[in-house]
Amino acid sequence: MMLEFSRYTLRTAADEHHYLFNTLSGASLTLDDAQYATLEASLDRPEGRRSAAEQGISDLMQRSGFLVEAGTDELGAALTQYDQGRR
C-alpha cells in the first residue's frame, strides 16, 4: 500500500523543524530534519519494503491522520464523520 499526505495536513518548516497540523483530526506534530527525511522516504516505498524506522513513523502518521492510503476518498470520509456527529 502506498501512502500520501492527507489533503487536510498542513505542513511548514522553520530552521531545522517541520511542523504538521491535520485540520480534520486536530493532530499536530513537530519533526526534526532526520525524522522528516525518514517520513518522506517511507512515502516512496510500498509497505513491505520500508525499514523499521520508516514503518514506525508511517504507522504513527496514519493513526494521527497525517497520512492516508493513496487514492482515499477523504472528502467522503469527512462528510460521513460530519453526518454522524450531527446525529
Side-chain angles (χ1 to χ4, degrees), residues 2-45:
M2 296 298 290
L3 298 173
E4 63 188 12
F5 279 102
S6 165
R7 69 188 296 177
Y8 300 105
T9 297
L10 306 175
R11 298 176 283 165
T12 190
D15 299 322
E16 297 174 2
H17 293 92
H18 299 264
Y19 303 95
L20 293 90
F21 177 70
N22 186 278
T23 60
L24 185 61
S25 70
S28 63
L29 185 66
T30 303
L31 301 173
D32 62 29
D33 283 337
Q35 292 167 323
Y36 195 78
T38 301
L39 171 62
E40 286 189 319
S42 74
L43 296 176
D44 294 334
R45 294 182 196 22

Side-chain angles (χ1 to χ4, degrees), residues 41-71:
S42 74
L43 296 176
D44 294 334
R45 294 182 196 22
E47 188 170 2
R49 303 187 118 200
R50 294 182 193 129
S51 70
E54 292 169 352
Q55 189 62 45
I57 198 165
S58 62
D59 288 346
L60 169 68
M61 300 295 279
Q62 262 191 295
R63 285 191 309 270
S64 302
F66 296 111
L67 297 179
V68 296
E69 288 184 38

